[in-house]
Amino acid sequence: AIQHLAAPDHWRSIELISDLHLQPELPHTVASWQRYLQASTADAIFMLGDLFEAWVGDDALNEPGSFEAECAQTLRQARAKRSLFFMHGNRDFLIGAQFAQRSGMQLLSDPTCLEFTGQRWLLSHGDALCVDDTDYQRFRAVARSPAWQQQILAQPLAQRRQLAGSIRNESEARKMREVITADVDSAATLEWLQRANAPTLIHGHTHRPATHALDATHQRVVLTDWDTDLPTPRAEVLRIDAQGMQRIALDAYLAQPPAPRG
Ligand code: MN
């Protein structure tokens, strides 16, 4: 089933980002995200998964001063000026209704078909389309099941933090992030696009930003991941308005936020 979302008539521009892998260990990336949310001139921001490196459960919000509570606050401030949408990735799939409500984000199913500028845009994290990685698809089916999630969330928060922490020190995290070797399957993508009657799929997950023509009328647009803690920082915003689609480097964006057009 494909969720449909019709953009309100007053929207002039939207922006899409994904795979920020936010974590306390990468403070520059967190700061970049905060600056971007404050500077954005879009009517809506779509965060297409792996916003967080790990999510241990919405009850982390109840810990005063926690990283999760701080991020909810950042989102809440941004929400005062524009709509925020979030789709789960393979890292933050435990984000639930409580966090969404606290931060003012609207949760989207994967995939979601957005109608905006008289066009249909199919949005996904992208991991479900990496069909060749059968081990991962097996894990994904389990990890997305309510029974498994309830079992995890029934563990004490401290224990869940410990588990997440054990894979979250910086070098480990970087290693984990390079592991995605499977790529999005073209045939599966075309099938989704035809079902949604949409010309364009926008997704993240693979950390391999590119625009791939699938045939004469269908394309796949891949978002970049963010890491501004690296010596060569990486961060980009995909902006869509009536004139089309444009990738904007975060530095350029912050230096001169684009004026609403159309
Ligand atoms: Mn991912």
Side-chain angles (χ1 to χ4, degrees):
I2 296 175
Q3 184 184 345
H4 280 261
L5 178 71
D9 288 342
H10 70 269
W11 283 8
R12 290 290 166 267
S13 57
I14 63 166
E15 288 166 357
L16 304 101
I17 59 175
S18 73
D19 301 279
L20 282 76
H21 294 258
L22 298 176
Q23 51 193 303
E25 289 79 3
L26 298 178
H28 290 100
T29 307
V30 176
S32 295
W33 172 64
Q34 290 170 330
R35 278 198 292 272
Y36 161 66
L37 285 180
Q38 280 158 26
S40 174
T41 55
D43 295 298
I45 297 175
F46 289 78
M47 293 169 276
L48 298 186
D50 287 1
L51 179 60
F52 296 98
E53 172 69 6
W55 193 260
V56 293
D58 288 2
D59 51 346
L61 294 169
N62 304 330
E63 288 186 332
S66 70
F67 178 67
E68 291 83 356
E70 187 193 315
C71 290
Q73 179 64 23
T74 296
L75 288 162
R76 184 111 218 138
Q77 282 164 6
R79 177 64 185 89
K81 291 186 271 182
R82 59 192 46 83
S83 301
L84 301 178
F85 295 88
F86 173 80
M87 186 180 281
H88 293 108
N90 54 300
R91 295 308 193 101
D92 47 17
F93 56 83
L94 283 179
I95 283 180
Q98 198 194 337
F99 180 68
Q101 195 193 9
R102 182 86 73 92
S103 54
M105 303 188 304
Q106 194 174 319
L107 294 180
L108 297 174
S109 318
D110 188 350
T112 287
C113 184
L114 169 71
E115 289 170 40
F116 174 58
T117 63
Q119 263 199 67
R120 286 164 170 250
W121 308 86
L122 192 60
L123 312 179
S124 176
H125 179 59
D127 57 322
L129 285 165
C130 294
V131 292
D132 286 346
D133 191 348
T134 50
D135 285 347
Y136 173 70
Q137 293 305 333
R138 255 196 303 275
F139 166 76
R140 188 180 191 275
V142 171
R144 298 297 183 110
S145 74
W148 186 87
Q149 294 192 357
Q150 274 158 28
Q151 197 185 324
I152 294 291
L153 293 172
Q155 293 176 18
L157 178 59
Q159 200 175 317
R160 281 176 271 140
R161 278 211 186 282
Q162 208 172 22
L163 181 70
S166 67
I167 55 164
R168 209 173 55 177
N169 78 63
E170 192 182 334
S171 61
E172 264 311 292
R174 287 245 163 74
K175 228 187 301 166
M176 294 290 292
R177 291 169 62 176
E178 284 158 16
V179 163
I180 301 155
T181 50
D183 206 351
V184 162
D185 184 77
S186 294
T189 302
L190 267 173
E191 198 267 318
W192 275 24
L193 286 171
Q194 277 151 3
R195 202 143 48 87
N197 192 20
T200 304
L201 171 75
I202 301 173
H203 72 86
H205 180 63
T206 61
H207 304 187
R208 290 196 281 274
T211 297
H212 301 277
L214 299 168
D215 61 21
T217 53
H218 296 93
Q219 63 177 344
R220 176 166 77 82
V221 175
V222 193
L223 303 171
T224 186
D225 63 322
W226 285 32
D227 190 337
T228 60
D229 287 82
L230 289 170
T232 311
R234 207 165 49 228
E236 201 176 69
V237 174
L238 183 74
R239 186 171 170 105
I240 302 176
D241 61 20
Q243 272 78 40
M245 199 166 53
Q246 135 187 64
R247 293 178 192 269
I248 310 174
L250 182 66
D251 281 352
Y253 193 107
L254 295 176
Q256 191 175 3
R261 298 186 294 182

PDB file of all heavy atoms in Angstrom, residues 37-75:
ATOM      1  N   LEU A  37      17.798  23.710  10.051  1.00  0.00           N
ATOM      2  CA  LEU A  37      16.373  23.782  10.399  1.00  0.00           C
ATOM      3  C   LEU A  37      15.948  25.224  10.675  1.00  0.00           C
ATOM      4  O   LEU A  37      14.838  25.629  10.349  1.00  0.00           O
ATOM      5  CB  LEU A  37      16.072  22.908  11.624  1.00  0.00           C
ATOM      6  CG  LEU A  37      16.039  21.395  11.408  1.00  0.00           C
ATOM      7  CD1 LEU A  37      15.727  20.686  12.724  1.00  0.00           C
ATOM      8  CD2 LEU A  37      15.019  20.981  10.349  1.00  0.00           C
ATOM      9  N   GLN A  38      16.857  25.997  11.280  1.00  0.00           N
ATOM     10  CA  GLN A  38      16.523  27.393  11.566  1.00  0.00           C
ATOM     11  C   GLN A  38      16.560  28.255  10.315  1.00  0.00           C
ATOM     12  O   GLN A  38      15.803  29.216  10.196  1.00  0.00           O
ATOM     13  CB  GLN A  38      17.493  27.953  12.620  1.00  0.00           C
ATOM     14  CG  GLN A  38      17.111  27.526  14.042  1.00  0.00           C
ATOM     15  CD  GLN A  38      18.287  27.586  15.005  1.00  0.00           C
ATOM     16  OE1 GLN A  38      19.218  28.343  14.793  1.00  0.00           O
ATOM     17  NE2 GLN A  38      18.228  26.774  16.052  1.00  0.00           N
ATOM     18  N   ALA A  39      17.448  27.906   9.361  1.00  0.00           N
ATOM     19  CA  ALA A  39      17.651  28.754   8.183  1.00  0.00           C
ATOM     20  C   ALA A  39      16.697  28.418   7.036  1.00  0.00           C
ATOM     21  O   ALA A  39      16.521  29.227   6.124  1.00  0.00           O
ATOM     22  CB  ALA A  39      19.091  28.618   7.687  1.00  0.00           C
ATOM     23  N   SER A  40      16.107  27.239   7.062  1.00  0.00           N
ATOM     24  CA  SER A  40      15.320  26.779   5.919  1.00  0.00           C
ATOM     25  C   SER A  40      14.236  27.775   5.537  1.00  0.00           C
ATOM     26  O   SER A  40      13.577  28.367   6.391  1.00  0.00           O
ATOM     27  CB  SER A  40      14.681  25.422   6.224  1.00  0.00           C
ATOM     28  OG  SER A  40      13.807  25.051   5.168  1.00  0.00           O
ATOM     29  N   THR A  41      14.039  27.927   4.223  1.00  0.00           N
ATOM     30  CA  THR A  41      12.986  28.801   3.714  1.00  0.00           C
ATOM     31  C   THR A  41      11.883  27.989   3.038  1.00  0.00           C
ATOM     32  O   THR A  41      11.044  28.531   2.335  1.00  0.00           O
ATOM     33  CB  THR A  41      13.569  29.811   2.706  1.00  0.00           C
ATOM     34  OG1 THR A  41      14.263  29.078   1.682  1.00  0.00           O
ATOM     35  CG2 THR A  41      14.536  30.778   3.371  1.00  0.00           C
ATOM     36  N   ALA A  42      11.914  26.667   3.226  1.00  0.00           N
ATOM     37  CA  ALA A  42      10.917  25.794   2.598  1.00  0.00           C
ATOM     38  C   ALA A  42       9.631  25.781   3.424  1.00  0.00           C
ATOM     39  O   ALA A  42       9.644  26.081   4.614  1.00  0.00           O
ATOM     40  CB  ALA A  42      11.470  24.383   2.474  1.00  0.00           C
ATOM     41  N   ASP A  43       8.533  25.416   2.780  1.00  0.00           N
ATOM     42  CA  ASP A  43       7.259  25.281   3.495  1.00  0.00           C
ATOM     43  C   ASP A  43       7.185  23.968   4.262  1.00  0.00           C
ATOM     44  O   ASP A  43       6.413  23.851   5.212  1.00  0.00           O
ATOM     45  CB  ASP A  43       6.096  25.357   2.499  1.00  0.00           C
ATOM     46  CG  ASP A  43       6.033  26.723   1.852  1.00  0.00           C
ATOM     47  OD1 ASP A  43       5.842  27.706   2.586  1.00  0.00           O
ATOM     48  OD2 ASP A  43       6.212  26.813   0.617  1.00  0.00           O
ATOM     49  N   ALA A  44       7.977  22.988   3.811  1.00  0.00           N
ATOM     50  CA  ALA A  44       7.973  21.691   4.494  1.00  0.00           C
ATOM     51  C   ALA A  44       9.321  21.024   4.319  1.00  0.00           C
ATOM     52  O   ALA A  44       9.971  21.170   3.277  1.00  0.00           O
ATOM     53  CB  ALA A  44       6.885  20.790   3.928  1.00  0.00           C
ATOM     54  N   ILE A  45       9.747  20.321   5.343  1.00  0.00           N
ATOM     55  CA  ILE A  45      10.988  19.551   5.285  1.00  0.00           C
ATOM     56  C   ILE A  45      10.647  18.080   5.479  1.00  0.00           C
ATOM     57  O   ILE A  45       9.932  17.715   6.419  1.00  0.00           O
ATOM     58  CB  ILE A  45      11.988  20.009   6.369  1.00  0.00           C
ATOM     59  CG1 ILE A  45      12.391  21.470   6.129  1.00  0.00           C
ATOM     60  CG2 ILE A  45      13.227  19.111   6.381  1.00  0.00           C
ATOM     61  CD1 ILE A  45      13.277  22.048   7.229  1.00  0.00           C
ATOM     62  N   PHE A  46      11.137  17.261   4.562  1.00  0.00           N
ATOM     63  CA  PHE A  46      10.933  15.817   4.618  1.00  0.00           C
ATOM     64  C   PHE A  46      12.251  15.155   5.021  1.00  0.00           C
ATOM     65  O   PHE A  46      13.254  15.297   4.322  1.00  0.00           O
ATOM     66  CB  PHE A  46      10.479  15.296   3.252  1.00  0.00           C
ATOM     67  CG  PHE A  46       9.077  15.706   2.895  1.00  0.00           C
ATOM     68  CD1 PHE A  46       8.806  16.988   2.441  1.00  0.00           C
ATOM     69  CD2 PHE A  46       8.029  14.808   3.037  1.00  0.00           C
ATOM     70  CE1 PHE A  46       7.516  17.380   2.132  1.00  0.00           C
ATOM     71  CE2 PHE A  46       6.723  15.187   2.729  1.00  0.00           C
ATOM     72  CZ  PHE A  46       6.461  16.470   2.276  1.00  0.00           C
ATOM     73  N   MET A  47      12.216  14.433   6.137  1.00  0.00           N
ATOM     74  CA  MET A  47      13.400  13.709   6.606  1.00  0.00           C
ATOM     75  C   MET A  47      13.158  12.225   6.338  1.00  0.00           C
ATOM     76  O   MET A  47      12.321  11.596   6.977  1.00  0.00           O
ATOM     77  CB  MET A  47      13.628  14.017   8.093  1.00  0.00           C
ATOM     78  CG  MET A  47      14.014  15.489   8.296  1.00  0.00           C
ATOM     79  SD  MET A  47      14.002  16.054  10.011  1.00  0.00           S
ATOM     80  CE  MET A  47      12.249  16.434  10.199  1.00  0.00           C
ATOM     81  N   LEU A  48      13.889  11.700   5.334  1.00  0.00           N
ATOM     82  CA  LEU A  48      13.564  10.370   4.812  1.00  0.00           C
ATOM     83  C   LEU A  48      14.397   9.256   5.458  1.00  0.00           C
ATOM     84  O   LEU A  48      14.946   8.405   4.777  1.00  0.00           O
ATOM     85  CB  LEU A  48      13.726  10.346   3.283  1.00  0.00           C
ATOM     86  CG  LEU A  48      12.812  11.296   2.497  1.00  0.00           C
ATOM     87  CD1 LEU A  48      12.975  11.074   0.997  1.00  0.00           C
ATOM     88  CD2 LEU A  48      11.349  11.130   2.898  1.00  0.00           C
ATOM     89  N   GLY A  49      14.491   9.269   6.761  1.00  0.00           N
ATOM     90  CA  GLY A  49      15.051   8.120   7.459  1.00  0.00           C
ATOM     91  C   GLY A  49      16.514   8.225   7.830  1.00  0.00           C
ATOM     92  O   GLY A  49      17.279   8.979   7.247  1.00  0.00           O
ATOM     93  N   ASP A  50      16.884   7.454   8.853  1.00  0.00           N
ATOM     94  CA  ASP A  50      18.227   7.502   9.442  1.00  0.00           C
ATOM     95  C   ASP A  50      18.608   8.933   9.808  1.00  0.00           C
ATOM     96  O   ASP A  50      19.753   9.345   9.640  1.00  0.00           O
ATOM     97  CB  ASP A  50      19.273   6.836   8.528  1.00  0.00           C
ATOM     98  CG  ASP A  50      19.127   5.312   8.520  1.00  0.00           C
ATOM     99  OD1 ASP A  50      18.217   4.796   9.201  1.00  0.00           O
ATOM    100  OD2 ASP A  50      19.911   4.645   7.825  1.00  0.00           O
ATOM    101  N   LEU A  51      17.618   9.647  10.342  1.00  0.00           N
ATOM    102  CA  LEU A  51      17.905  10.952  10.945  1.00  0.00           C
ATOM    103  C   LEU A  51      18.830  10.717  12.140  1.00  0.00           C
ATOM    104  O   LEU A  51      19.749  11.487  12.380  1.00  0.00           O
ATOM    105  CB  LEU A  51      16.593  11.602  11.388  1.00  0.00           C
ATOM    106  CG  LEU A  51      16.684  12.963  12.074  1.00  0.00           C
ATOM    107  CD1 LEU A  51      17.330  14.000  11.153  1.00  0.00           C
ATOM    108  CD2 LEU A  51      15.304  13.433  12.525  1.00  0.00           C
ATOM    109  N   PHE A  52      18.591   9.612  12.840  1.00  0.00           N
ATOM    110  CA  PHE A  52      19.404   9.256  13.998  1.00  0.00           C
ATOM    111  C   PHE A  52      20.202   7.984  13.732  1.00  0.00           C
ATOM    112  O   PHE A  52      19.733   7.076  13.049  1.00  0.00           O
ATOM    113  CB  PHE A  52      18.514   9.042  15.228  1.00  0.00           C
ATOM    114  CG  PHE A  52      17.791  10.301  15.639  1.00  0.00           C
ATOM    115  CD1 PHE A  52      16.484  10.528  15.251  1.00  0.00           C
ATOM    116  CD2 PHE A  52      18.445  11.268  16.394  1.00  0.00           C
ATOM    117  CE1 PHE A  52      15.815  11.695  15.615  1.00  0.00           C
ATOM    118  CE2 PHE A  52      17.790  12.439  16.757  1.00  0.00           C
ATOM    119  CZ  PHE A  52      16.471  12.657  16.365  1.00  0.00           C
ATOM    120  N   GLU A  53      21.394   7.942  14.290  1.00  0.00           N
ATOM    121  CA  GLU A  53      22.249   6.764  14.175  1.00  0.00           C
ATOM    122  C   GLU A  53      21.609   5.568  14.870  1.00  0.00           C
ATOM    123  O   GLU A  53      21.750   4.426  14.433  1.00  0.00           O
ATOM    124  CB  GLU A  53      23.622   7.057  14.789  1.00  0.00           C
ATOM    125  CG  GLU A  53      24.561   5.893  14.919  1.00  0.00           C
ATOM    126  CD  GLU A  53      25.067   5.370  13.577  1.00  0.00           C
ATOM    127  OE1 GLU A  53      24.780   5.984  12.535  1.00  0.00           O
ATOM    128  OE2 GLU A  53      25.743   4.333  13.590  1.00  0.00           O
ATOM    129  N   ALA A  54      20.910   5.865  15.966  1.00  0.00           N
ATOM    130  CA  ALA A  54      20.224   4.800  16.707  1.00  0.00           C
ATOM    131  C   ALA A  54      19.046   5.441  17.431  1.00  0.00           C
ATOM    132  O   ALA A  54      19.088   6.633  17.742  1.00  0.00           O
ATOM    133  CB  ALA A  54      21.173   4.163  17.712  1.00  0.00           C
ATOM    134  N   TRP A  55      18.011   4.663  17.655  1.00  0.00           N
ATOM    135  CA  TRP A  55      16.892   5.155  18.457  1.00  0.00           C
ATOM    136  C   TRP A  55      16.514   4.062  19.450  1.00  0.00           C
ATOM    137  O   TRP A  55      16.143   2.973  19.045  1.00  0.00           O
ATOM    138  CB  TRP A  55      15.693   5.523  17.571  1.00  0.00           C
ATOM    139  CG  TRP A  55      14.680   6.306  18.360  1.00  0.00           C
ATOM    140  CD1 TRP A  55      13.528   5.819  18.911  1.00  0.00           C
ATOM    141  CD2 TRP A  55      14.753   7.688  18.709  1.00  0.00           C
ATOM    142  NE1 TRP A  55      12.877   6.834  19.593  1.00  0.00           N
ATOM    143  CE2 TRP A  55      13.609   7.997  19.475  1.00  0.00           C
ATOM    144  CE3 TRP A  55      15.681   8.706  18.453  1.00  0.00           C
ATOM    145  CZ2 TRP A  55      13.371   9.266  19.991  1.00  0.00           C
ATOM    146  CZ3 TRP A  55      15.437   9.971  18.954  1.00  0.00           C
ATOM    147  CH2 TRP A  55      14.289  10.235  19.716  1.00  0.00           C
ATOM    148  N   VAL A  56      16.653   4.368  20.726  1.00  0.00           N
ATOM    149  CA  VAL A  56      16.476   3.321  21.742  1.00  0.00           C
ATOM    150  C   VAL A  56      15.040   3.228  22.242  1.00  0.00           C
ATOM    151  O   VAL A  56      14.689   2.291  22.957  1.00  0.00           O
ATOM    152  CB  VAL A  56      17.422   3.554  22.943  1.00  0.00           C
ATOM    153  CG1 VAL A  56      18.873   3.356  22.519  1.00  0.00           C
ATOM    154  CG2 VAL A  56      17.228   4.937  23.553  1.00  0.00           C
ATOM    155  N   GLY A  57      14.212   4.184  21.855  1.00  0.00           N
ATOM    156  CA  GLY A  57      12.815   4.172  22.305  1.00  0.00           C
ATOM    157  C   GLY A  57      12.400   5.574  22.706  1.00  0.00           C
ATOM    158  O   GLY A  57      13.226   6.359  23.184  1.00  0.00           O
ATOM    159  N   ASP A  58      11.129   5.895  22.509  1.00  0.00           N
ATOM    160  CA  ASP A  58      10.645   7.249  22.803  1.00  0.00           C
ATOM    161  C   ASP A  58      10.743   7.590  24.290  1.00  0.00           C
ATOM    162  O   ASP A  58      10.741   8.768  24.659  1.00  0.00           O
ATOM    163  CB  ASP A  58       9.189   7.411  22.352  1.00  0.00           C
ATOM    164  CG  ASP A  58       9.054   7.474  20.833  1.00  0.00           C
ATOM    165  OD1 ASP A  58      10.082   7.364  20.137  1.00  0.00           O
ATOM    166  OD2 ASP A  58       7.920   7.633  20.356  1.00  0.00           O
ATOM    167  N   ASP A  59      10.830   6.575  25.154  1.00  0.00           N
ATOM    168  CA  ASP A  59      10.928   6.865  26.594  1.00  0.00           C
ATOM    169  C   ASP A  59      12.245   7.564  26.945  1.00  0.00           C
ATOM    170  O   ASP A  59      12.372   8.123  28.030  1.00  0.00           O
ATOM    171  CB  ASP A  59      10.709   5.606  27.439  1.00  0.00           C
ATOM    172  CG  ASP A  59      11.581   4.436  27.016  1.00  0.00           C
ATOM    173  OD1 ASP A  59      12.158   4.490  25.909  1.00  0.00           O
ATOM    174  OD2 ASP A  59      11.688   3.470  27.791  1.00  0.00           O
ATOM    175  N   ALA A  60      13.205   7.574  26.011  1.00  0.00           N
ATOM    176  CA  ALA A  60      14.447   8.326  26.228  1.00  0.00           C
ATOM    177  C   ALA A  60      14.159   9.822  26.375  1.00  0.00           C
ATOM    178  O   ALA A  60      14.966  10.567  26.935  1.00  0.00           O
ATOM    179  CB  ALA A  60      15.417   8.081  25.076  1.00  0.00           C
ATOM    180  N   LEU A  61      13.008  10.257  25.856  1.00  0.00           N
ATOM    181  CA  LEU A  61      12.615  11.670  25.972  1.00  0.00           C
ATOM    182  C   LEU A  61      12.373  12.075  27.418  1.00  0.00           C
ATOM    183  O   LEU A  61      12.463  13.255  27.768  1.00  0.00           O
ATOM    184  CB  LEU A  61      11.317  11.921  25.201  1.00  0.00           C
ATOM    185  CG  LEU A  61      11.376  11.762  23.687  1.00  0.00           C
ATOM    186  CD1 LEU A  61       9.973  11.777  23.120  1.00  0.00           C
ATOM    187  CD2 LEU A  61      12.206  12.881  23.088  1.00  0.00           C
ATOM    188  N   ASN A  62      12.044  11.093  28.229  1.00  0.00           N
ATOM    189  CA  ASN A  62      11.698  11.396  29.623  1.00  0.00           C
ATOM    190  C   ASN A  62      12.924  11.617  30.496  1.00  0.00           C
ATOM    191  O   ASN A  62      12.788  12.027  31.641  1.00  0.00           O
ATOM    192  CB  ASN A  62      10.834  10.269  30.203  1.00  0.00           C
ATOM    193  CG  ASN A  62       9.593  10.034  29.360  1.00  0.00           C
ATOM    194  OD1 ASN A  62       9.091  10.972  28.737  1.00  0.00           O
ATOM    195  ND2 ASN A  62       9.121   8.802  29.304  1.00  0.00           N
ATOM    196  N   GLU A  63      14.095  11.318  29.945  1.00  0.00           N
ATOM    197  CA  GLU A  63      15.327  11.587  30.688  1.00  0.00           C
ATOM    198  C   GLU A  63      15.697  13.046  30.495  1.00  0.00           C
ATOM    199  O   GLU A  63      16.021  13.461  29.376  1.00  0.00           O
ATOM    200  CB  GLU A  63      16.466  10.703  30.164  1.00  0.00           C
ATOM    201  CG  GLU A  63      16.325   9.254  30.549  1.00  0.00           C
ATOM    202  CD  GLU A  63      17.567   8.460  30.136  1.00  0.00           C
ATOM    203  OE1 GLU A  63      18.251   8.837  29.167  1.00  0.00           O
ATOM    204  OE2 GLU A  63      17.834   7.441  30.786  1.00  0.00           O
ATOM    205  N   PRO A  64      15.661  13.831  31.564  1.00  0.00           N
ATOM    206  CA  PRO A  64      15.961  15.259  31.425  1.00  0.00           C
ATOM    207  C   PRO A  64      17.353  15.469  30.830  1.00  0.00           C
ATOM    208  O   PRO A  64      18.302  14.816  31.238  1.00  0.00           O
ATOM    209  CB  PRO A  64      15.888  15.785  32.862  1.00  0.00           C
ATOM    210  CG  PRO A  64      15.135  14.748  33.632  1.00  0.00           C
ATOM    211  CD  PRO A  64      15.394  13.441  32.953  1.00  0.00           C
ATOM    212  N   GLY A  65      17.436  16.351  29.834  1.00  0.00           N
ATOM    213  CA  GLY A  65      18.726  16.670  29.222  1.00  0.00           C
ATOM    214  C   GLY A  65      19.256  15.619  28.278  1.00  0.00           C
ATOM    215  O   GLY A  65      20.394  15.723  27.823  1.00  0.00           O
ATOM    216  N   SER A  66      18.455  14.599  27.957  1.00  0.00           N
ATOM    217  CA  SER A  66      18.951  13.563  27.043  1.00  0.00           C
ATOM    218  C   SER A  66      19.106  14.128  25.636  1.00  0.00           C
ATOM    219  O   SER A  66      18.461  15.119  25.265  1.00  0.00           O
ATOM    220  CB  SER A  66      18.002  12.363  27.035  1.00  0.00           C
ATOM    221  OG  SER A  66      16.777  12.692  26.403  1.00  0.00           O
ATOM    222  N   PHE A  67      19.947  13.483  24.857  1.00  0.00           N
ATOM    223  CA  PHE A  67      20.157  13.861  23.458  1.00  0.00           C
ATOM    224  C   PHE A  67      18.828  13.851  22.709  1.00  0.00           C
ATOM    225  O   PHE A  67      18.530  14.752  21.920  1.00  0.00           O
ATOM    226  CB  PHE A  67      21.162  12.886  22.825  1.00  0.00           C
ATOM    227  CG  PHE A  67      21.430  13.132  21.373  1.00  0.00           C
ATOM    228  CD1 PHE A  67      22.088  14.283  20.954  1.00  0.00           C
ATOM    229  CD2 PHE A  67      21.043  12.208  20.414  1.00  0.00           C
ATOM    230  CE1 PHE A  67      22.331  14.519  19.606  1.00  0.00           C
ATOM    231  CE2 PHE A  67      21.290  12.427  19.068  1.00  0.00           C
ATOM    232  CZ  PHE A  67      21.932  13.586  18.658  1.00  0.00           C
ATOM    233  N   GLU A  68      18.017  12.838  22.986  1.00  0.00           N
ATOM    234  CA  GLU A  68      16.727  12.692  22.310  1.00  0.00           C
ATOM    235  C   GLU A  68      15.805  13.866  22.635  1.00  0.00           C
ATOM    236  O   GLU A  68      15.116  14.407  21.758  1.00  0.00           O
ATOM    237  CB  GLU A  68      16.064  11.370  22.707  1.00  0.00           C
ATOM    238  CG  GLU A  68      16.752  10.119  22.167  1.00  0.00           C
ATOM    239  CD  GLU A  68      17.933   9.654  23.021  1.00  0.00           C
ATOM    240  OE1 GLU A  68      18.284  10.352  24.010  1.00  0.00           O
ATOM    241  OE2 GLU A  68      18.501   8.592  22.699  1.00  0.00           O
ATOM    242  N   ALA A  69      15.782  14.255  23.923  1.00  0.00           N
ATOM    243  CA  ALA A  69      14.927  15.376  24.343  1.00  0.00           C
ATOM    244  C   ALA A  69      15.395  16.683  23.703  1.00  0.00           C
ATOM    245  O   ALA A  69      14.585  17.511  23.273  1.00  0.00           O
ATOM    246  CB  ALA A  69      14.929  15.485  25.865  1.00  0.00           C
ATOM    247  N   GLU A  70      16.724  16.835  23.596  1.00  0.00           N
ATOM    248  CA  GLU A  70      17.291  18.037  22.974  1.00  0.00           C
ATOM    249  C   GLU A  70      16.901  18.110  21.485  1.00  0.00           C
ATOM    250  O   GLU A  70      16.535  19.169  20.974  1.00  0.00           O
ATOM    251  CB  GLU A  70      18.816  17.970  23.134  1.00  0.00           C
ATOM    252  CG  GLU A  70      19.575  19.204  22.711  1.00  0.00           C
ATOM    253  CD  GLU A  70      21.073  18.906  22.607  1.00  0.00           C
ATOM    254  OE1 GLU A  70      21.614  18.259  23.525  1.00  0.00           O
ATOM    255  OE2 GLU A  70      21.666  19.305  21.601  1.00  0.00           O
ATOM    256  N   CYS A  71      16.945  16.956  20.813  1.00  0.00           N
ATOM    257  CA  CYS A  71      16.588  16.922  19.388  1.00  0.00           C
ATOM    258  C   CYS A  71      15.093  17.195  19.189  1.00  0.00           C
ATOM    259  O   CYS A  71      14.705  17.864  18.224  1.00  0.00           O
ATOM    260  CB  CYS A  71      16.972  15.571  18.775  1.00  0.00           C
ATOM    261  SG  CYS A  71      18.762  15.360  18.634  1.00  0.00           S
ATOM    262  N   ALA A  72      14.270  16.697  20.091  1.00  0.00           N
ATOM    263  CA  ALA A  72      12.829  16.968  20.011  1.00  0.00           C
ATOM    264  C   ALA A  72      12.574  18.467  20.131  1.00  0.00           C
ATOM    265  O   ALA A  72      11.740  19.035  19.418  1.00  0.00           O
ATOM    266  CB  ALA A  72      12.082  16.206  21.101  1.00  0.00           C
ATOM    267  N   GLN A  73      13.333  19.106  21.006  1.00  0.00           N
ATOM    268  CA  GLN A  73      13.210  20.550  21.211  1.00  0.00           C
ATOM    269  C   GLN A  73      13.611  21.319  19.943  1.00  0.00           C
ATOM    270  O   GLN A  73      12.923  22.255  19.521  1.00  0.00           O
ATOM    271  CB  GLN A  73      14.092  20.942  22.410  1.00  0.00           C
ATOM    272  CG  GLN A  73      14.095  22.414  22.748  1.00  0.00           C
ATOM    273  CD  GLN A  73      12.721  22.906  23.182  1.00  0.00           C
ATOM    274  OE1 GLN A  73      11.893  22.113  23.620  1.00  0.00           O
ATOM    275  NE2 GLN A  73      12.472  24.192  23.021  1.00  0.00           N
ATOM    276  N   THR A  74      14.711  20.883  19.318  1.00  0.00           N
ATOM    277  CA  THR A  74      15.168  21.508  18.067  1.00  0.00           C
ATOM    278  C   THR A  74      14.085  21.416  16.989  1.00  0.00           C
ATOM    279  O   THR A  74      13.797  22.390  16.291  1.00  0.00           O
ATOM    280  CB  THR A  74      16.446  20.793  17.570  1.00  0.00           C
ATOM    281  OG1 THR A  74      17.482  20.989  18.533  1.00  0.00           O
ATOM    282  CG2 THR A  74      16.906  21.321  16.227  1.00  0.00           C
ATOM    283  N   LEU A  75      13.480  20.238  16.883  1.00  0.00           N
ATOM    284  CA  LEU A  75      12.444  20.035  15.873  1.00  0.00           C
ATOM    285  C   LEU A  75      11.214  20.889  16.175  1.00  0.00           C
ATOM    286  O   LEU A  75      10.602  21.472  15.290  1.00  0.00           O
ATOM    287  CB  LEU A  75      12.072  18.553  15.802  1.00  0.00           C
ATOM    288  CG  LEU A  75      13.135  17.653  15.159  1.00  0.00           C
ATOM    289  CD1 LEU A  75      12.896  16.194  15.511  1.00  0.00           C
ATOM    290  CD2 LEU A  75      13.146  17.829  13.641  1.00  0.00           C
TER     291      LEU A  75
END
